[in-house]
Amino acid sequence: MLPQHADPIVAIATAPGRGAVGIVRVSGKGLAPFVRALIGREPRPREATYGPWRAADGQAIDHGLSLWFPAPHSYTGEDVLELQGHGGPVVLQLLLARCLEVAQTALPGLRLARAGEFTERAFLNDKLDLAQAEAVADLIDASTEAAARSAARSLAGAFSQRVHALRDALIHLRMLVEATLDFPEEEIDFLQKADAEGQLQRLRSALAQLQAEARQGALLRDGLQVVIAGQPNAGKSSLLNALAGAELAIVTPIAGTTRDVVQQTIQIEGVPLHVTDTAGLRDSPEVDEVERIGIERAWQRIHGADAVLFLHDLTRWREPRYRVGDANILRGLPEGVPVLHVWNKVDQAGDELPRGDSDIVLSAKHGTGLDALRQRLLQLAGWQSGSEGLFMARERHLRALARVGEHLEQAQGLLTRAADQLDLLAEELRLAQHALGEITGEFTADDLLGVIFSRFCIGK
């Protein structure tokens, strides 16, 4: 444990601003003398004690509840004191200052907590593994009900249990391979008798299932970046307004009305979709400097998108100039980014519609076809409807699971010629276990911990 992790820490644990209740939290070793000095007595463990917190001159700063959690029965695994008072920012700052003042004699070394340091200590003291610790921040940041429920499942250990089950099976297979390496003179073929190949196949199948569920969890957490692109007056702003159910973007028949990007997060079946309306894409002498900048920003968003809604105008699709404009946009779209062709203004079009089998026809003005578009967006995102019991996952978890898959694939090839490749097989299995352990923090570099916990809020 690094030296700074032994320091007692204090912070305001509630969000900035005014509220009905505010919390100041203290964590460290041997807090009992500090608690007695601050509130005049040592409260009973895990029971709320009401009373005043007094300044050095004896005047009450505030009245509230003191909660005392002796180690190891606390959030951090250390002694923890929580002071729950009124949520005014001035009152909380006075209470925080009083804690630091009392600590000068009763708790030397008390300092302000860094972002995420309380949860970091919970991880370091084995109260949470790393995936559970990350779920704390994910639960706070959840933007949909489904995301909050998935984060709560991860916090309860659902994701970690799946990872541990995979790890245990991997360790068992490693044990067999290592035993064969240690006793090469034995006539019994340990690997064949123990069905090592079957074990490895089951490992890979379990990993594939875990990867699929983790991708769903990552989608709930991060959502999908969707950019609406097209020529001016195709109805991009109208489509954004229709999807959001609010008048977010200005809509006029004047070409070039949208000059900058407008973004709104919507949710479909609990999946957050970050939808961006952009300036109409055109190459015309009528484009002024402001619109030109808007077009540049539109292309920047398009190149950073997870999916592009290419919006076409059904009232103009027969015009040669309009077709050329659409063709130019299509050539500029980035490779590898899914493109969904959406034909707008079906309420004004004739019977003949220029659409492919996977295209969507709708009316942003009247809402026709919006449900079909929402379902196609979920398909583009890779969402499996009706998924239950999902846990939250992050991009780093997906990368770690991908590395596990790569090592198991290498191990599969080596197992077929195990007689002279056992040492390499054992190493691939070890690397797979190491990658798996990065998810829960069994094998994690200190710099990665710093990045993860620095993104938490102060007091958590």
PDB file of all heavy atoms in Angstrom, residues 172-190:
ATOM      1  N   HIS A 172      -7.846 -24.378 -13.266  1.00  0.00           N
ATOM      2  CA  HIS A 172      -7.870 -25.845 -13.246  1.00  0.00           C
ATOM      3  C   HIS A 172      -7.166 -26.416 -14.474  1.00  0.00           C
ATOM      4  O   HIS A 172      -6.401 -27.401 -14.369  1.00  0.00           O
ATOM      5  CB  HIS A 172      -9.319 -26.328 -13.197  1.00  0.00           C
ATOM      6  CG  HIS A 172      -9.448 -27.820 -13.040  1.00  0.00           C
ATOM      7  ND1 HIS A 172      -9.607 -28.659 -14.120  1.00  0.00           N
ATOM      8  CD2 HIS A 172      -9.420 -28.615 -11.941  1.00  0.00           C
ATOM      9  CE1 HIS A 172      -9.679 -29.913 -13.694  1.00  0.00           C
ATOM     10  NE2 HIS A 172      -9.576 -29.914 -12.381  1.00  0.00           N
ATOM     11  N   LEU A 173      -7.398 -25.809 -15.625  1.00  0.00           N
ATOM     12  CA  LEU A 173      -6.726 -26.286 -16.839  1.00  0.00           C
ATOM     13  C   LEU A 173      -5.231 -26.020 -16.765  1.00  0.00           C
ATOM     14  O   LEU A 173      -4.424 -26.869 -17.171  1.00  0.00           O
ATOM     15  CB  LEU A 173      -7.342 -25.598 -18.065  1.00  0.00           C
ATOM     16  CG  LEU A 173      -6.795 -26.035 -19.429  1.00  0.00           C
ATOM     17  CD1 LEU A 173      -6.941 -27.542 -19.617  1.00  0.00           C
ATOM     18  CD2 LEU A 173      -7.509 -25.290 -20.551  1.00  0.00           C
ATOM     19  N   ARG A 174      -4.859 -24.867 -16.239  1.00  0.00           N
ATOM     20  CA  ARG A 174      -3.428 -24.576 -16.065  1.00  0.00           C
ATOM     21  C   ARG A 174      -2.770 -25.609 -15.167  1.00  0.00           C
ATOM     22  O   ARG A 174      -1.628 -26.032 -15.408  1.00  0.00           O
ATOM     23  CB  ARG A 174      -3.238 -23.190 -15.453  1.00  0.00           C
ATOM     24  CG  ARG A 174      -3.335 -22.020 -16.411  1.00  0.00           C
ATOM     25  CD  ARG A 174      -2.882 -20.741 -15.725  1.00  0.00           C
ATOM     26  NE  ARG A 174      -1.466 -20.792 -15.402  1.00  0.00           N
ATOM     27  CZ  ARG A 174      -0.849 -19.907 -14.607  1.00  0.00           C
ATOM     28  NH1 ARG A 174      -1.541 -18.939 -14.033  1.00  0.00           N
ATOM     29  NH2 ARG A 174       0.430 -19.999 -14.367  1.00  0.00           N
ATOM     30  N   MET A 175      -3.458 -26.005 -14.105  1.00  0.00           N
ATOM     31  CA  MET A 175      -2.920 -26.982 -13.165  1.00  0.00           C
ATOM     32  C   MET A 175      -2.591 -28.300 -13.876  1.00  0.00           C
ATOM     33  O   MET A 175      -1.546 -28.909 -13.636  1.00  0.00           O
ATOM     34  CB  MET A 175      -3.925 -27.225 -12.048  1.00  0.00           C
ATOM     35  CG  MET A 175      -3.511 -28.273 -11.025  1.00  0.00           C
ATOM     36  SD  MET A 175      -4.862 -28.663  -9.895  1.00  0.00           S
ATOM     37  CE  MET A 175      -6.000 -29.486 -11.030  1.00  0.00           C
ATOM     38  N   LEU A 176      -3.493 -28.721 -14.771  1.00  0.00           N
ATOM     39  CA  LEU A 176      -3.261 -29.963 -15.505  1.00  0.00           C
ATOM     40  C   LEU A 176      -2.026 -29.855 -16.405  1.00  0.00           C
ATOM     41  O   LEU A 176      -1.196 -30.771 -16.471  1.00  0.00           O
ATOM     42  CB  LEU A 176      -4.487 -30.308 -16.340  1.00  0.00           C
ATOM     43  CG  LEU A 176      -5.767 -30.668 -15.566  1.00  0.00           C
ATOM     44  CD1 LEU A 176      -6.928 -30.827 -16.526  1.00  0.00           C
ATOM     45  CD2 LEU A 176      -5.557 -31.943 -14.759  1.00  0.00           C
ATOM     46  N   VAL A 177      -1.921 -28.724 -17.088  1.00  0.00           N
ATOM     47  CA  VAL A 177      -0.781 -28.538 -17.994  1.00  0.00           C
ATOM     48  C   VAL A 177       0.516 -28.468 -17.206  1.00  0.00           C
ATOM     49  O   VAL A 177       1.533 -29.083 -17.578  1.00  0.00           O
ATOM     50  CB  VAL A 177      -0.983 -27.265 -18.840  1.00  0.00           C
ATOM     51  CG1 VAL A 177       0.253 -26.994 -19.697  1.00  0.00           C
ATOM     52  CG2 VAL A 177      -2.212 -27.407 -19.722  1.00  0.00           C
ATOM     53  N   GLU A 178       0.517 -27.752 -16.090  1.00  0.00           N
ATOM     54  CA  GLU A 178       1.723 -27.628 -15.274  1.00  0.00           C
ATOM     55  C   GLU A 178       2.114 -28.983 -14.696  1.00  0.00           C
ATOM     56  O   GLU A 178       3.309 -29.314 -14.591  1.00  0.00           O
ATOM     57  CB  GLU A 178       1.494 -26.630 -14.141  1.00  0.00           C
ATOM     58  CG  GLU A 178       1.229 -25.205 -14.594  1.00  0.00           C
ATOM     59  CD  GLU A 178       2.462 -24.512 -15.133  1.00  0.00           C
ATOM     60  OE1 GLU A 178       3.568 -25.073 -15.015  1.00  0.00           O
ATOM     61  OE2 GLU A 178       2.314 -23.412 -15.703  1.00  0.00           O
ATOM     62  N   ALA A 179       1.108 -29.797 -14.321  1.00  0.00           N
ATOM     63  CA  ALA A 179       1.407 -31.129 -13.790  1.00  0.00           C
ATOM     64  C   ALA A 179       2.080 -31.985 -14.844  1.00  0.00           C
ATOM     65  O   ALA A 179       3.015 -32.745 -14.557  1.00  0.00           O
ATOM     66  CB  ALA A 179       0.121 -31.789 -13.297  1.00  0.00           C
ATOM     67  N   THR A 180       1.623 -31.884 -16.078  1.00  0.00           N
ATOM     68  CA  THR A 180       2.240 -32.637 -17.164  1.00  0.00           C
ATOM     69  C   THR A 180       3.670 -32.185 -17.403  1.00  0.00           C
ATOM     70  O   THR A 180       4.560 -32.995 -17.695  1.00  0.00           O
ATOM     71  CB  THR A 180       1.413 -32.486 -18.454  1.00  0.00           C
ATOM     72  OG1 THR A 180       0.054 -32.822 -18.177  1.00  0.00           O
ATOM     73  CG2 THR A 180       1.930 -33.405 -19.549  1.00  0.00           C
ATOM     74  N   LEU A 181       3.922 -30.886 -17.265  1.00  0.00           N
ATOM     75  CA  LEU A 181       5.284 -30.365 -17.420  1.00  0.00           C
ATOM     76  C   LEU A 181       6.186 -30.824 -16.294  1.00  0.00           C
ATOM     77  O   LEU A 181       7.365 -31.136 -16.496  1.00  0.00           O
ATOM     78  CB  LEU A 181       5.249 -28.833 -17.456  1.00  0.00           C
ATOM     79  CG  LEU A 181       4.870 -28.169 -18.775  1.00  0.00           C
ATOM     80  CD1 LEU A 181       4.675 -26.678 -18.572  1.00  0.00           C
ATOM     81  CD2 LEU A 181       5.947 -28.421 -19.824  1.00  0.00           C
ATOM     82  N   ASP A 182       5.630 -30.898 -15.063  1.00  0.00           N
ATOM     83  CA  ASP A 182       6.448 -31.243 -13.896  1.00  0.00           C
ATOM     84  C   ASP A 182       6.776 -32.726 -13.842  1.00  0.00           C
ATOM     85  O   ASP A 182       7.781 -33.128 -13.254  1.00  0.00           O
ATOM     86  CB  ASP A 182       5.710 -30.843 -12.615  1.00  0.00           C
ATOM     87  CG  ASP A 182       5.652 -29.331 -12.449  1.00  0.00           C
ATOM     88  OD1 ASP A 182       6.462 -28.646 -13.094  1.00  0.00           O
ATOM     89  OD2 ASP A 182       4.788 -28.848 -11.688  1.00  0.00           O
ATOM     90  N   PHE A 183       5.922 -33.561 -14.436  1.00  0.00           N
ATOM     91  CA  PHE A 183       6.139 -35.008 -14.366  1.00  0.00           C
ATOM     92  C   PHE A 183       6.117 -35.621 -15.767  1.00  0.00           C
ATOM     93  O   PHE A 183       5.222 -36.403 -16.109  1.00  0.00           O
ATOM     94  CB  PHE A 183       5.062 -35.661 -13.499  1.00  0.00           C
ATOM     95  CG  PHE A 183       4.999 -35.096 -12.101  1.00  0.00           C
ATOM     96  CD1 PHE A 183       4.017 -34.176 -11.757  1.00  0.00           C
ATOM     97  CD2 PHE A 183       5.948 -35.467 -11.153  1.00  0.00           C
ATOM     98  CE1 PHE A 183       3.971 -33.651 -10.480  1.00  0.00           C
ATOM     99  CE2 PHE A 183       5.901 -34.942  -9.868  1.00  0.00           C
ATOM    100  CZ  PHE A 183       4.916 -34.036  -9.518  1.00  0.00           C
ATOM    101  N   PRO A 184       7.092 -35.261 -16.596  1.00  0.00           N
ATOM    102  CA  PRO A 184       7.076 -35.760 -17.975  1.00  0.00           C
ATOM    103  C   PRO A 184       7.324 -37.263 -18.073  1.00  0.00           C
ATOM    104  O   PRO A 184       6.991 -37.880 -19.082  1.00  0.00           O
ATOM    105  CB  PRO A 184       8.215 -34.967 -18.636  1.00  0.00           C
ATOM    106  CG  PRO A 184       9.135 -34.625 -17.499  1.00  0.00           C
ATOM    107  CD  PRO A 184       8.258 -34.412 -16.305  1.00  0.00           C
ATOM    108  N   GLU A 185       7.894 -37.855 -17.019  1.00  0.00           N
ATOM    109  CA  GLU A 185       8.193 -39.284 -17.088  1.00  0.00           C
ATOM    110  C   GLU A 185       6.961 -40.153 -16.846  1.00  0.00           C
ATOM    111  O   GLU A 185       6.995 -41.367 -17.073  1.00  0.00           O
ATOM    112  CB  GLU A 185       9.281 -39.640 -16.063  1.00  0.00           C
ATOM    113  CG  GLU A 185       8.834 -39.559 -14.598  1.00  0.00           C
ATOM    114  CD  GLU A 185       8.799 -38.134 -14.063  1.00  0.00           C
ATOM    115  OE1 GLU A 185       9.168 -37.210 -14.826  1.00  0.00           O
ATOM    116  OE2 GLU A 185       8.413 -37.947 -12.901  1.00  0.00           O
ATOM    117  N   GLU A 186       5.899 -39.559 -16.341  1.00  0.00           N
ATOM    118  CA  GLU A 186       4.692 -40.332 -16.090  1.00  0.00           C
ATOM    119  C   GLU A 186       4.117 -40.849 -17.412  1.00  0.00           C
ATOM    120  O   GLU A 186       4.083 -40.140 -18.412  1.00  0.00           O
ATOM    121  CB  GLU A 186       3.642 -39.481 -15.375  1.00  0.00           C
ATOM    122  CG  GLU A 186       4.040 -39.074 -13.969  1.00  0.00           C
ATOM    123  CD  GLU A 186       3.987 -40.239 -12.999  1.00  0.00           C
ATOM    124  OE1 GLU A 186       3.304 -41.236 -13.319  1.00  0.00           O
ATOM    125  OE2 GLU A 186       4.642 -40.169 -11.951  1.00  0.00           O
ATOM    126  N   GLU A 187       3.680 -42.101 -17.387  1.00  0.00           N
ATOM    127  CA  GLU A 187       3.113 -42.670 -18.592  1.00  0.00           C
ATOM    128  C   GLU A 187       1.679 -42.195 -18.836  1.00  0.00           C
ATOM    129  O   GLU A 187       1.180 -42.226 -19.947  1.00  0.00           O
ATOM    130  CB  GLU A 187       3.136 -44.205 -18.499  1.00  0.00           C
ATOM    131  CG  GLU A 187       4.548 -44.779 -18.443  1.00  0.00           C
ATOM    132  CD  GLU A 187       4.540 -46.282 -18.352  1.00  0.00           C
ATOM    133  OE1 GLU A 187       3.436 -46.866 -18.317  1.00  0.00           O
ATOM    134  OE2 GLU A 187       5.640 -46.881 -18.334  1.00  0.00           O
ATOM    135  N   ILE A 188       1.000 -41.785 -17.765  1.00  0.00           N
ATOM    136  CA  ILE A 188      -0.390 -41.354 -17.921  1.00  0.00           C
ATOM    137  C   ILE A 188      -0.428 -40.013 -18.625  1.00  0.00           C
ATOM    138  O   ILE A 188       0.258 -39.076 -18.243  1.00  0.00           O
ATOM    139  CB  ILE A 188      -1.078 -41.247 -16.551  1.00  0.00           C
ATOM    140  CG1 ILE A 188      -1.074 -42.611 -15.866  1.00  0.00           C
ATOM    141  CG2 ILE A 188      -2.495 -40.736 -16.685  1.00  0.00           C
ATOM    142  CD1 ILE A 188      -1.628 -42.593 -14.462  1.00  0.00           C
ATOM    143  N   ASP A 189      -1.220 -39.897 -19.656  1.00  0.00           N
ATOM    144  CA  ASP A 189      -1.384 -38.621 -20.355  1.00  0.00           C
ATOM    145  C   ASP A 189      -2.416 -37.799 -19.593  1.00  0.00           C
ATOM    146  O   ASP A 189      -3.626 -37.988 -19.748  1.00  0.00           O
ATOM    147  CB  ASP A 189      -1.838 -38.857 -21.788  1.00  0.00           C
ATOM    148  CG  ASP A 189      -1.857 -37.560 -22.595  1.00  0.00           C
ATOM    149  OD1 ASP A 189      -1.803 -36.468 -22.007  1.00  0.00           O
ATOM    150  OD2 ASP A 189      -1.940 -37.665 -23.836  1.00  0.00           O
ATOM    151  N   PHE A 190      -1.912 -36.923 -18.727  1.00  0.00           N
ATOM    152  CA  PHE A 190      -2.810 -36.139 -17.878  1.00  0.00           C
ATOM    153  C   PHE A 190      -3.833 -35.368 -18.706  1.00  0.00           C
ATOM    154  O   PHE A 190      -5.012 -35.294 -18.360  1.00  0.00           O
ATOM    155  CB  PHE A 190      -1.997 -35.155 -17.018  1.00  0.00           C
ATOM    156  CG  PHE A 190      -1.182 -35.809 -15.947  1.00  0.00           C
ATOM    157  CD1 PHE A 190       0.207 -35.708 -15.963  1.00  0.00           C
ATOM    158  CD2 PHE A 190      -1.786 -36.520 -14.922  1.00  0.00           C
ATOM    159  CE1 PHE A 190       0.966 -36.306 -14.979  1.00  0.00           C
ATOM    160  CE2 PHE A 190      -1.031 -37.121 -13.933  1.00  0.00           C
ATOM    161  CZ  PHE A 190       0.358 -37.017 -13.958  1.00  0.00           C
TER     162      PHE A 190
END
